[in-house]
């Protein structure tokens, strides 16, 4: 996006310089008019080219982010023991021209945990971030999405957990935090808060029945 604006500014500077040269060297009005028309066409062409490059860059960024998200989801799935957990839902992010399935707004995954013939259901949303910001905080979602997850948890009457990966790579994060959605009040979380939910990377995930929490 920034590169597109730089290209626009650079193009305009060159065009203005060209108009000045043309006007200085053509004294009759017809020549000046032609120069103005030519300049207008050049400005429009420069803007169109910049918008095309910006759209292409945004599309590539979205593809890269989706790829990272999928890699982290694969990592998360691999950390659930098949002995106790069953993956019931693993939602994709498919859409076309703004049309998408309602289920795509739900948490990424739904699991069941079975122990001693008793089964417990819960959902998981996965988020990977390269690092905390300069205030040691990270923005994991946006308000509308947070509200949808809360509504989902209430309607399904099951707990939802946000599994956050920090650093490393999506396929091998340096840190993992498992945060109950019920404990989240904002779309921005501090590192200090997340420390309460740090997951031991040497262990797989486990569901604690008495507290109904994932750890």
């Amino acid at each position: 996006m920034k590169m597109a604006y730089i290209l626009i500014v650079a193009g305009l500077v060159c065009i203005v310089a060209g108009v000045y040269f043309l006007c200085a060297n053509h004294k009759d009005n017809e020549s000046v008019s032609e120069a103005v028309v030519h300049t207008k066409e050049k400005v429009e062409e420069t803007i169109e080219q910049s918008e095309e490059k910006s759209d292409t860059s945004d599309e590539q960024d979205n593809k890269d982010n989706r790829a990272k998200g999928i890699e982290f989801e694969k990592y998360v799935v691999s950390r659930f023991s098949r002995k106790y957990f069953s993956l019931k839902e693993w939602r994709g992010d498919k859409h076309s021209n703004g049309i998408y399935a309602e289920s795509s707004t739900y948490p990424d995954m739904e699991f069941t945990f079975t122990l001693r013939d008793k089964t417990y259901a819960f959902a998981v949303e996965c988020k990977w971030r390269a690092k905390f910001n300069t205030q040691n905080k990270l923005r994991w979602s946006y308000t509308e999405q947070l509200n949808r997850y809360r509504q989902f948890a209430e309607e399904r009457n099951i707990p939802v957990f946000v599994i956050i990966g920090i650093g490393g790579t999506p396929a091998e994060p340096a840190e993992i935090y498992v945060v109950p959605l019920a404990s989240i009040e904002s779309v921005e979380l501090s590192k200090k808060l997340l420390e309460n939910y740090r997951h031991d990377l040497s262990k797989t995930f486990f569901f604690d029945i008495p507290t109904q929490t994932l750890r």
Side-chain angles (χ1 to χ4, degrees):
M1 184 65 74
K2 290 183 179 178
M3 181 58 70
Y5 290 137
I6 292 174
L7 290 172
I8 292 175
V9 173
L12 291 175
V13 170
C14 293
I15 292 169
V16 170
V19 171
Y20 179 82
F21 176 79
L22 288 171
C23 291
N25 288 277
H26 296 279
K27 296 181 179 180
D28 57 282
N29 291 334
E30 184 177 351
S31 296
V32 172
S33 297
E34 290 177 355
V36 171
V37 171
H38 180 68
T39 299
K40 182 176 181 294
E41 292 174 349
K42 277 296 184 182
V43 169
E44 292 175 348
E45 180 182 354
T46 301
I47 292 174
E48 287 176 1
Q49 291 174 350
S50 298
E51 289 177 343
E52 288 175 0
K53 290 180 180 179
S54 178
D55 290 343
T56 300
S57 177
D58 288 344
E59 182 179 352
Q60 186 59 47
D61 287 344
N62 288 334
K63 287 182 179 179
D64 290 344
N65 289 334
R66 283 197 295 272
K68 291 175 181 177
I70 292 172
E71 282 301 307
F72 183 58
E73 288 176 16
K74 290 179 179 178
Y75 167 83
V76 169
V77 169
S78 73
R79 305 296 294 172
F80 283 95
S81 170
R82 293 184 180 181
K83 181 179 179 180
Y84 301 103
F85 296 94
S86 295
L87 179 59
K88 299 300 184 180
E89 292 284 350
W90 189 350
R91 299 180 177 90
D93 190 25
K94 299 181 182 67
H95 58 84
S96 177
N97 297 323
I99 301 173
Y100 52 86
E102 182 180 349
S103 62
S104 67
T105 65
Y106 298 161
D108 294 321
M109 304 165 189
E110 288 182 52
F111 289 89
T112 56
F113 172 73
T114 303
L115 185 67
R116 301 188 192 91
D117 297 326
K118 290 188 177 181
T119 299
Y120 306 85
F122 63 92
V124 166
E125 175 66 14
C126 304
K127 298 291 183 181
W128 178 84
R129 297 291 185 267
K131 59 182 179 180
F132 290 95
N133 64 21
T134 54
Q135 286 79 42
N136 271 332
K137 295 181 179 181
L138 66 83
R139 188 177 182 86
W140 70 275
S141 184
Y142 51 94
T143 303
E144 291 82 358
Q145 190 178 55
L146 172 58
N147 290 336
R148 284 198 296 267
Y149 293 160
R150 286 172 174 166
Q151 182 179 358
F152 173 88
E154 183 178 354
E155 291 177 350
R156 298 293 183 89
N157 193 30
I158 61 174
V160 175
F161 302 93
V162 181
I163 299 181
I164 300 174
I166 301 290
T169 66
E172 193 173 349
E175 302 169 19
I176 288 290
Y177 304 93
V178 184
V179 191
L181 182 69
S183 299
I184 296 178
E185 298 181 354
S186 171
V187 295
E188 190 173 65
L189 302 174
S190 68
K191 186 174 183 178
K192 182 178 180 180
L193 172 67
L194 289 177
E195 284 298 333
N196 297 318
Y197 305 101
R198 179 185 285 272
H199 172 70
D200 186 346
L201 293 176
S202 68
K203 300 178 181 179
T204 56
F205 295 119
F206 198 78
F207 189 79
D208 185 68
I209 296 174
T211 61
Q212 296 283 293
T213 58
L214 186 68
R215 52 183 174 82

